[in-house]
Amino acid sequence: MRDEAADVEAANDEFYAAFEVADLDRMRAVWSDTDDVCCVHPGWDVLRGTSRVMRSWALIFANTPYIQFFLSDTAVAIHGDLAVVSCAENILTAPGEPKGDAKVVSTNVFRREGERWLMTLHHGSPVIRQLNEEPDDG
Amino acid sequence: MRDEAADVEAANDEFYAAFEVADLDRMRAVWSDTDDVCCVHPGWDVLRGTSRVMRSWALIFANTPYIQFFLSDTAVAIHGDLAVVSCAENILTAPGEPKGDAKVVSTNVFRREGERWLMTLHHGSPVIRQLNEEPDDG
């Protein structure tokens, strides 16, 4: 029996690997090639459709000299042919970059098409407000 | 035959209605009561589990004198018992509020439990960067 969660995590890891090496072909291969794909980069408005989404990656890759992701707090929920991954991206950028190191939280949705899990949605958002939570009362 | 997409949109609308009237009981009823629920408010880190998520709503409701949502660009994708809604929240707040009117883009995931679609994930992110896209070449 296939370990579905491992397959989904591998697809999620490949997304970040393609981003780190700024390889547009690898990034394109991560995504489902359909009009219903949807991408929200941190602080951006929503982009829909393969053409717009891939154009945004070309722009981001051209403007990112170095980036490395350390994922944490990854949760995978699979229902039939749809998988929702929630994770935190702890980001290391080139020294001297204006944004410095940052944390982004992401929701990534994958759909099973044949044997592969392909991305249909990426939603990343900047962590601006640090939580000062009261002690857990649960 | 039930119109599944209409049911999901109704669940999504109820989420925003509960937010507008700041009704914690209504908001609790929107969500699945499970440990795997996940919520990202705009600019916040991820919160997991009903207890933390509901505590965050109590905090937000206490600090939001007035809010009204005009949803746009809503897309619903349903696969079996899981539904992914992507939408833009055009937000109207009380006059004089420091944040003023704002735009947030959200990914909302619902799971069918019995006859109801219950929220398992809400991910909202602020739209900071206005897109100046080149003309569509598609």
Side-chain angles (χ1 to χ4, degrees):
Chain A
M1 196 178 97
R2 292 287 286 264
D3 183 342
E4 286 189 326
D7 289 346
V8 170
E9 282 206 54
N12 197 57
D13 288 344
E14 172 62 11
F15 167 71
Y16 290 104
F19 196 160
E20 285 181 342
V21 297
D23 185 325
L24 266 186
D25 290 332
R26 271 178 77 174
M27 181 57 86
R28 187 177 286 106
V30 166
W31 286 79
S32 173
D33 186 14
T34 49
D35 282 342
D36 67 354
V37 300
C38 168
C39 184
V40 182
H41 300 294
W44 289 37
D45 207 340
V46 61
L47 301 171
R48 295 190 197 281
T50 303
S51 163
R52 279 170 188 269
V53 170
M54 289 312 303
R55 204 156 56 202
S56 74
W57 287 116
L59 187 67
I60 287 170
F61 289 174
N63 288 286
T64 308
Y66 179 81
I67 195 161
Q68 194 173 354
F69 296 96
F70 301 93
L71 300 186
S72 63
D73 206 15
T74 301
V76 179
I78 301 175
H79 289 265
D81 289 334
L82 210 64
V84 179
V85 180
S86 165
C87 61
E89 309 168 2
N90 304 282
I91 298 174
L92 198 66
T93 51
E97 279 292 290
K99 282 200 255 174
D101 300 338
K103 186 175 183 182
V104 164
V105 289
S106 276
T107 300
N108 298 324
V109 178
F110 297 85
R111 181 168 58 204
R112 182 160 32 201
E113 299 181 10
E115 290 292 301
R116 302 190 56 214
W117 289 96
L118 296 172
M119 183 171 265
T120 59
L121 181 146
H122 167 68
H123 187 162
S125 68
V127 177
I128 297 163
R129 178 183 182 282
Q130 285 302 318
L131 296 178
N132 294 309
E133 282 198 292
E134 63 272 58
D136 199 308
D137 60 8
Chain B
M1 197 177 97
R2 292 288 286 264
D3 183 342
E4 287 188 325
D7 289 347
V8 170
E9 281 206 55
N12 196 56
D13 288 344
E14 172 62 12
F15 167 72
Y16 290 103
F19 195 159
E20 284 182 342
V21 297
D23 186 325
L24 265 185
D25 290 333
R26 271 178 77 173
M27 181 56 87
R28 188 177 286 108
V30 166
W31 286 79
S32 172
D33 186 14
T34 49
D35 283 343
D36 67 355
V37 299
C38 167
C39 184
V40 182
H41 300 294
W44 290 37
D45 207 340
V46 62
L47 301 170
R48 296 190 199 280
T50 303
S51 164
R52 280 169 187 270
V53 170
M54 290 311 303
R55 206 156 53 203
S56 74
W57 287 115
L59 187 67
I60 287 170
F61 289 174
N63 289 285
T64 308
Y66 179 82
I67 194 162
Q68 194 173 354
F69 295 96
F70 300 93
L71 301 185
S72 63
D73 206 15
T74 302
V76 179
I78 301 175
H79 290 264
D81 289 333
L82 211 65
V84 180
V85 180
S86 165
C87 61
E89 309 169 2
N90 305 281
I91 298 173
L92 198 67
T93 52
E97 280 292 290
K99 281 199 254 173
D101 301 337
K103 186 174 183 184
V104 163
V105 289
S106 276
T107 301
N108 298 324
V109 179
F110 296 87
R111 181 167 58 203
R112 183 158 32 200
E113 298 180 11
E115 288 293 301
R116 303 190 55 214
W117 288 95
L118 296 172
M119 183 171 263
T120 59
L121 180 146
H122 166 66
H123 187 163
S125 67
V127 177
I128 298 164
R129 179 182 183 282
Q130 286 301 318
L131 297 178
N132 294 309
E133 284 197 292
E134 62 271 57
D136 198 308
D137 59 10

